[in-house]
Amino acid sequence: MTGPIIAEFDAVVGFSRSTSDAPGRGRVAMTPSQIRVRADGTARRIDVDDIFDVVRDVSVAASADSTETVTLAFDAGGRRETLDVKANAATLVKFQRLVFKRLLVDADVAVARRRADDDTDDRRPCRLDVSATEIRFEPADRASRITVRRDDVARFSLSGTDVPAVVLYLRAADRVERLSVRFPSFRLLNLFGRYLRADLLAVDALGSVSDGDGAVEALLVDDDRLSREMTRVFLQEQSSRLSITEAESARAALERLSEAGGAKRIDCVVSDYKMPVMDGIEFLGAVRDRHPTLPFILYTGRGSEAVAKKAILDDVTDYVEKDVGPKQYEILAERIEKAVR
């Protein structure tokens, strides 16, 4: 393996296309350009440039000595594959911080910083760098570095049609500032969005934020009755906090959401993509028109990268791929609770 090792630890590892029956004990090592996994007498290498999604990260509510899982999605010769890495939370927090840094380091971006009411475009080329606490932009013209504390990002919106971009709304003492960042690819835009949503607290802060004990009311929208039933049952098995309301179509869901003064609020929408009359993307647009801040998770099948990209640009809160087996419901339950936190 080329390059210095920047992380190495024992873990339970598993690949989605592995021929073995179950994940097994192994060793994970990372250099600036690769992740190497050794288990069951075999070794695999994943180029950092082939990673296109961080499907699952460490929960901020986890204690430092609890067992957590980080899941990375990567391109394996034109096929999508995932790597699950299970270890104690303290180890995985350090690992995922390094992963995000290596994924985003030195990305060529174009940045414009201005007040929220200023429409001028003084965009300049920069090099991106990130850490657990800061986002840094180094201008190509050697002007002063732009540094943003992650805690100062009040809200962000992934936007654009042909140009992948993100808008960061920043807290300031006397005004609201807006930082617009254009990325060279939708892959990097997606990864930056994952970085912004990820819990990258210091290890000693793990467990400092509770999952909460209040109920989370999720509206599950899917025209397939059996799929709705399966999702509802497994979600409620994953978390006692989740209460599920079902809708068989986007129109029925919009009617339910219009009952804003009803006895049962909705904290998060979870919607399928392929539905008659109004698909999940059209439904997302309708929800954003009426409820611009309501968490919305698109729950869609594999092989739908174009759908996920469109959803990101239409300000989806998150998306989760449907899969075979119970792990998808673990991830979906975590994403729902994170979205409403």
Side-chain angles (χ1 to χ4, degrees):
M1 177 167 36
T2 59
I5 294 176
I6 57 177
E8 190 169 15
F9 57 94
D10 292 324
V12 175
V13 295
F15 288 90
S16 58
R17 295 183 181 273
S18 173
T19 56
S20 61
D21 294 331
R25 298 294 305 179
R27 186 80 173 165
V28 178
M30 186 175 180
T31 71
S33 61
Q34 288 186 332
I35 295 174
R36 182 176 183 178
V37 180
R38 184 178 295 277
D40 298 326
T42 61
R44 288 193 61 179
R45 298 182 182 186
I46 302 169
D47 289 340
V48 170
D49 288 344
D50 288 336
I51 298 172
F52 61 84
D53 201 1
V54 180
V55 178
R56 186 176 187 176
D57 57 19
V58 177
S59 169
V60 70
S63 60
D65 60 352
S66 65
T67 300
E68 290 282 304
T69 300
V70 168
T71 302
L72 307 177
F74 61 97
D75 178 60
R79 300 185 309 175
R80 179 192 188 276
E81 192 166 350
T82 60
L83 165 66
D84 289 336
V85 181
K86 182 181 291 186
N88 69 77
T91 296
L92 288 182
V93 165
K94 298 174 184 176
F95 174 62
Q96 69 185 29
R97 288 198 309 227
L98 285 171
V99 167
F100 278 116
K101 182 174 181 64
R102 299 318 309 169
L103 286 170
L104 298 169
V105 68
D106 287 340
D108 292 312
V109 297
V111 181
R113 185 170 192 171
R114 50 190 179 268
R115 297 188 308 275
D117 58 352
D118 185 354
D119 291 330
T120 61
D121 193 344
D122 56 348
R123 198 173 300 276
R124 61 178 60 182
C126 295
R127 304 285 279 183
L128 174 65
D129 190 18
V130 300
S131 71
T133 58
E134 289 185 340
I135 307 165
R136 295 180 286 272
F137 302 96
E138 196 73 48
D141 59 5
R142 299 189 178 182
S144 298
R145 174 191 291 172
I146 302 170
T147 301
V148 176
R149 295 178 64 250
R150 273 172 52 101
D151 288 347
D152 288 342
V153 180
R155 184 176 179 274
F156 68 92
S157 176
L158 304 177
S159 61
T161 51
D162 298 326
V163 179
V166 63
V167 178
L168 308 178
Y169 296 92
L170 310 177
R171 299 182 183 92
D174 57 349
R175 64 191 184 280
V176 175
E177 289 188 349
R178 182 176 59 173
L179 195 72
S180 173
V181 185
R182 290 179 180 170
F183 284 82
S185 68
F186 281 98
R187 168 185 172 267
L188 286 174
L189 175 67
N190 177 56
L191 291 169
F192 188 69
R194 292 294 195 211
Y195 160 79
L196 290 172
R197 296 185 182 101
D199 294 319
L200 299 176
L201 295 179
V203 172
D204 57 6
L206 281 169
S208 63
V209 178
S210 170
D211 276 334
D213 53 9
V216 174
E217 306 291 345
L219 178 60
L220 178 62
V221 188
D222 195 325
D223 64 306
D224 187 324
R225 181 183 60 81
L226 292 178
S227 178
R228 286 201 316 272
E229 179 182 352
M230 185 79 73
T231 303
R232 172 178 54 79
V233 168
F234 276 92
L235 280 179
Q236 291 180 323
E237 182 180 274
Q238 291 299 322
S239 174
S240 59
R241 294 182 64 201
L242 292 180
S243 176
I244 310 296
T245 297
E246 298 180 35
E248 71 280 2
S249 68
R251 293 194 183 281
L254 288 172
E255 291 177 6
R256 174 63 188 83
L257 289 172
S258 70
E259 302 167 4
K264 190 175 182 181
R265 74 186 188 282
I266 296 298
D267 297 310
C268 181
V269 175
V270 178
S271 176
D272 187 26
Y273 168 66
K274 290 185 177 180
M275 298 184 293
V277 183
M278 183 184 295
D279 66 28
I281 297 294
E282 294 167 330
F283 176 42
L284 169 61
V287 170
R288 283 289 168 260
D289 287 342
R290 298 164 175 80
H291 311 277
T293 62
L294 180 65
F296 189 112
I297 297 175
L298 190 68
Y299 185 40
T300 182
R302 276 193 173 190
S304 48
E305 288 81 4
V307 173
K309 182 172 77 174
K310 184 67 169 66
I312 289 172
L313 298 180
D314 286 351
D315 200 18
V316 75
T317 306
D318 210 338
Y319 67 91
V320 177
E321 285 191 345
K322 290 184 176 179
D323 206 342
V324 177
K327 185 172 72 172
Q328 61 180 316
Y329 303 112
E330 296 176 19
I331 294 172
L332 182 57
E334 290 175 1
R335 295 286 180 84
I336 293 171
E337 293 191 346
K338 180 178 288 188
V340 302
R341 190 157 57 210

